[in-house]
Amino acid sequence: MGLVDQLVNQPHYTLVNQPRENDILSHKELFDSIPEEYLSHKEKYENAIRKTVLYYRLMQKYQNYKEGSTILDETRANYRNLVSFAVFKDYPPLMLHNGMFIPAIAGQGTPEQQKHWLKRAKNMEILGTYAQTELGHGTFIRGLETTAEYDPSTEEFVLHSPTLTSYKWWPGGLGHTVNYCVVMAQLYIRGRHHGMQPFLVQLRDEATHMPLPGVKLGEIGAKLGLSTVNNGFLAFEHHRIPRDRMLMKNAQVLKDGTFVAGPSSKLAYGTMIYVRVIIVNGMANLMAKAATIAVRYSAVRRQSQIKPSEPECQILDYVTQQHKLLICIATSLAFSTCARWLWDVYTGVMGQMESGNMDHLPELHALACSLKVVSTMDVSGLVERCRLACGGHGFMHSSNLPYTYGLATAACTYEGENTVLLLQTARSLVKAWQKGSKGKPLSPTEAYLMDKSPVPKWENTLDGIIAGFRRVSAGKVQDCVSKIDKLVKMGTSYEDAWNQTSVRLVAASEAHSRAVILATFRSEVSRAAAALSPPLSRVLHQLVHLYCVYWALERLGDLLLYTSIAERDVQELQQQYEDLLQKIRPNAVGLVDAFDLRDEILNSTLGAYDGRVYERLMEEALKSPLNAEPVNQSFHQYLKPFMHGKL
Ligand SMILES: CC/C=C\C/C=C\C/C=C\C/C=C\CCC(=O)SCCNC(=O)CCNC(=O)[C@H](O)C(C)(C)COP(=O)(O)OP(=O)(O)OC[C@H]1O[C@@H](n2cnc3c(N)ncnc32)[C@H](O)[C@@H]1OP(=O)(O)O
Ligand SMILES: Cc1cc2nc3c(=O)[nH]c(=O)nc-3n(C[C@H](O)[C@H](O)[C@H](O)COP(=O)(O)OP(=O)(O)OC[C@H]3O[C@@H](n4cnc5c(N)ncnc54)[C@H](O)[C@@H]3O)c2cc1C
């Protein structure tokens, strides 16, 4: 399906904008009469549960899960991601149920386990989360302390949290919502350690919802965002579960305690790769939402004059405002394009692994890490830029930009903290360099590292810019390898040499990611454009061009170091950029309208389609409980005595 077909006809569009009678968003009981900002911490959660039940009941009614259609396809349709923005400004308490619990069973369970548990989970008969992170460890998975000791005499695993730092900490929905979870624990059999394995554990009684004996549960408290996700803590006190609760698709434990290893110990980490792939698309959606809000507001808002003789102009006519916002439109398209490309890579590798071929897993891991990092890093920064571009009204919760920032920035940390994941990709790049230097073939996305041709004359074209970013990445990787080799030759251990080079390694990893993103965005749009009308093809190519030139200007230092770009090229690039802003400006509102995000999904006083910004801001202000009375009781209780010197 071409790019714009994907844009306009993505599955979720058919689901979200389906005929009125089936339209979930037409059910107004899903929405809040009182803005959730005015609810207490506890009320917010309870209201979120109310809406969750309504939302899922409607989803099950309207979004018929085709038997055999995997949760991966449904999630890919963006359906939940987009429509849930309408019902929940933050993510719902069941975000992890669909986002990780079900995918973990699908990816780690045997066919029998999938048959039994996936059905119950998809029918919402049980609710689950994914419990890996602990109070003391998030990144360093091998350092996690929760244990699962196999007892062959009873054919059970004994789960235990030996220390406070071993308490599971963060899993969404864990506090008070879910009654099951996939727990990642260190497996021991007769005192021997068999690595991290996934266990499907019941936490609460299915009838009373009371925590089971030996299970301690609670929520971790107020956070920067995601206030309705009910992130919680979990501790086990020698809690016993049957042997068949270890998810045994990859590794198995036989009745007598024999451990049968899987093809790779890293397969237990497979759910994280899947989620990182999904996050890239989620970021594209968040960017589309913020860009729609900020661009529409910038078309409505008039402020100051460009010429004294003229009326106040749309703030979108300021080139500085175009500089802030047009890259946001291009960024959303870039990441939605890359997300579909990465999803196809993911499904391809999963298919190969089903037949035992693990060869492409390392490249997929490196790609998933780097694209998850760059998409979350860029979108967090650009959503904040959208907020700032809307002045004071962008600071209002009713604009929905602060919430959108919270959703984006959280993803810089969860599913692998960004620095750590860039170092993972760097690990892959250094290994590729070392492999290529021995004449061995490299993976398709890393093959450019071995381009030893002389640095060509710089060209201010898309090909020239993409080739330039590849030169930067290859140059940075080579510098890292040289520094590490030099340190090791001086007697430094490889590990210390790696750590001393890690700032450069992170930069090399980001450069590689940008080279992949620019090339993918460009090629996918070119492929789609062939099927489009000339005007549409032209504007999409303008966005690709803007995206490439923007990042070339953002990374000038690197290009000056590793390519033959000269001063006059830079001047020309800057002019190209400003010309593109001027060309795209007339289509800016049409482009965000093409994201086709309904008012209910935008959930924003500034981004509504009718542009009645001021009326909506006032409507929302009057919903504040403080506006229910002209004088608040605190005047009589505190201020008046204080002002009269009596307090
Ligand atoms: C807007 C949002 C949009 C959408 C959202 C929708 C859904 C989202 C749903 C849920 C998201 C919400 C909440 C998030 C939930 C979580 O956060 S779950 C917990 C996530 N935690 C992590 O990601 C932990 C990060 N840490 C790690 O991954 C690893 O510890 C490490 C990779 C950093 C280091 O691992 P080590 O064991 O130390 O090993 P290493 O020596 O570095 O690497 C060993 C080899 O293993 C390879 N490898 C590592 N990880 C993987 C993997 N996942 N898959 C495959 N291979 C892996 C690595 O490459 C090494 O290989 P070598 O050949 O080089 O040895
Ligand atoms: C909103 C939210 C939801 C979450 N949901 C879940 C969930 O549902 N289930 C779950 O299991 N977890 C969940 N998490 C936890 C999340 O996966 C962890 O926070 C994340 O993996 C980072 O681990 P950490 O918090 O221990 O930070 P650390 O790993 O302690 O990182 C702290 C700092 O140390 C640095 N650092 C750590 N290791 C290295 C290294 N090797 N090299 C260089 N620098 C390093 C990091 O870069 C970072 O700057 C969630 C987190 C958030 C914020």
Side-chain angles (χ1 to χ4, degrees), residues 348-551:
V349 172
M350 290 302 116
Q352 291 162 3
M353 285 169 58
E354 283 303 314
S355 51
N357 176 357
M358 310 275 289
D359 295 350
H360 298 284
L361 179 60
E363 182 187 31
L364 172 64
H365 170 50
L367 283 171
C369 286
S370 57
L371 288 178
K372 180 268 184 188
V373 171
V374 175
S375 61
T376 55
M377 175 170 68
D378 287 2
V379 169
S380 301
L382 290 172
V383 168
E384 173 62 355
R385 181 187 292 190
C386 286
R387 178 186 73 77
L388 292 166
C390 295
H393 300 329
F395 196 68
M396 298 298 294
H397 269 312
S398 69
S399 74
N400 205 4
L401 288 168
Y403 277 109
T404 305
Y405 174 72
L407 295 176
T409 194
C412 292
T413 302
Y414 66 57
E415 218 52 62
E417 195 279 330
N418 278 359
T419 304
V420 162
L421 295 189
L422 282 180
L423 287 169
Q424 279 296 296
T425 301
R427 185 185 170 111
S428 173
L429 294 171
V430 166
K431 291 178 74 171
W433 185 272
Q434 291 161 344
K435 203 172 142 186
S437 302
K438 293 170 188 155
K440 293 180 182 172
L442 298 185
S443 67
T445 52
E446 293 173 340
Y448 73 87
L449 290 172
M450 287 301 114
D451 176 359
K452 304 294 188 189
S453 62
V455 175
K457 182 179 177 311
W458 174 267
E459 289 178 13
N460 270 345
T461 62
L462 295 191
D463 286 337
I465 292 170
I466 291 166
F469 270 82
R470 286 174 172 154
R471 288 280 175 179
V472 168
S473 174
K476 284 179 176 285
V477 173
Q478 182 174 18
D479 287 353
C480 289
V481 171
S482 306
K483 179 175 166 64
I484 290 168
D485 288 349
K486 187 177 165 197
L487 287 168
V488 168
K489 283 193 181 91
M490 289 161 58
T492 309
S493 71
Y494 187 84
E495 292 76 10
D496 284 337
W498 177 271
N499 189 30
Q500 289 173 36
T501 311
S502 56
V503 172
R504 300 185 196 201
L505 287 162
V506 163
S509 197
E510 184 197 331
H512 169 70
S513 314
R514 299 223 177 269
V516 169
I517 292 165
L518 292 181
T520 303
F521 186 23
R522 195 271 177 101
S523 62
E524 290 296 299
V525 169
S526 301
R527 193 163 58 80
L532 303 179
S533 67
L536 193 47
S537 170
R538 184 167 55 249
V539 76
L540 285 176
H541 276 107
Q542 286 170 353
L543 287 172
V544 172
H545 196 174
L546 180 85
Y547 190 80
C548 291
V549 173
Y550 176 92
W551 280 107

Side-chain angles (χ1 to χ4, degrees), residues 298-338:
S298 299
V300 171
R301 182 71 166 180
R302 290 179 178 276
Q303 198 70 202
S304 316
Q305 298 155 300
I306 292 178
K307 295 191 188 78
S309 58
E310 290 179 356
E312 287 191 85
C313 66
Q314 290 169 299
I315 55 177
L316 195 52
D317 287 337
Y318 294 115
V319 179
T320 49
Q321 193 81 353
Q322 295 160 24
H323 170 60
K324 292 172 192 173
L325 298 181
L326 300 188
I327 185 61
C328 298
I329 301 172
T331 297
S332 179
L333 276 178
F335 288 135
S336 65
T337 305
C338 289

Side-chain angles (χ1 to χ4, degrees), residues 91 139 142 266 276 283 365 415-416 424 427 431:
Y91 280 123
T139 290
R142 285 181 287 144
K266 298 307 175 193
R276 290 165 189 162
M283 289 297 122
H365 170 50
E415 218 52 62
Q424 279 296 296
R427 185 185 170 111
K431 291 178 74 171

Side-chain angles (χ1 to χ4, degrees), residues 41 169 174-176 217-223 227 230-233:
H41 181 69
W169 190 274
L174 185 61
H176 299 81
L217 290 164
E219 75 125 356
I220 64 172
K223 306 176 293 283
S227 58
N230 189 231
N231 301 90
F233 64 76

Side-chain angles (χ1 to χ4, degrees), residues 86-279:
V87 179
F88 311 93
K89 279 188 171 179
D90 266 329
Y91 280 123
L94 294 191
M95 168 183 174
L96 269 290
H97 176 74
N98 287 297
M100 290 198 82
F101 180 65
I102 288 176
I105 298 169
Q108 307 284 329
T110 62
E112 299 73 30
Q113 289 174 320
Q114 290 188 46
K115 189 168 185 304
H116 176 74
W117 292 107
L118 271 185
K119 183 167 178 293
R120 296 200 72 200
K122 275 189 170 182
N123 292 339
M124 316 297 273
E125 293 164 33
I126 62 171
L127 302 174
T129 186
Y130 180 85
Q132 175 175 294
T133 303
E134 294 171 358
L135 196 54
H137 288 91
T139 290
F140 189 55
I141 296 177
R142 285 181 287 144
L144 292 171
E145 298 174 82
T146 301
T147 57
E149 178 89 35
Y150 183 63
D151 179 351
S153 66
T154 62
E155 294 180 23
E156 292 173 316
F157 292 103
V158 183
L159 293 174
H160 187 57
S161 307
T163 60
L164 174 61
T165 49
S166 70
Y167 279 37
K168 291 303 179 184
W169 190 274
W170 273 113
L174 185 61
H176 299 81
T177 314
V178 303
N179 51 9
Y180 283 80
C181 84
V182 170
V183 175
M184 296 299 282
Q186 304 285 8
L187 171 62
Y188 288 89
I189 304 173
R190 299 187 186 88
R192 188 169 168 210
H193 180 229
H194 293 284
M196 181 67 63
Q197 302 299 337
F199 298 85
L200 203 151
V201 186
Q202 181 175 354
L203 302 174
R204 292 175 178 271
D205 182 287
E206 289 195 24
T208 66
H209 210 54
M210 281 296 287
L212 297 179
V215 176
K216 190 194 288 184
L217 290 164
E219 75 125 356
I220 64 172
K223 306 176 293 283
L224 178 152
L226 284 78
S227 58
T228 51
V229 170
N230 189 231
N231 301 90
F233 64 76
L234 156 67
F236 294 110
E237 183 63 38
H238 303 293
H239 180 65
R240 286 177 172 268
I241 61 174
R243 183 178 68 90
D244 69 359
R245 297 296 172 86
M246 175 175 147
L247 296 176
M248 296 200 203
K249 175 179 180 181
N250 297 312
Q252 294 87 39
V253 174
L254 307 184
K255 287 183 180 177
D256 65 358
T258 305
F259 178 73
V260 180
S264 160
S265 62
K266 298 307 175 193
L267 291 179
Y269 296 174
T271 310
M272 290 183 278
I273 289 195
Y274 159 74
V275 176
R276 290 165 189 162
V277 169
I278 292 292
I279 284 172

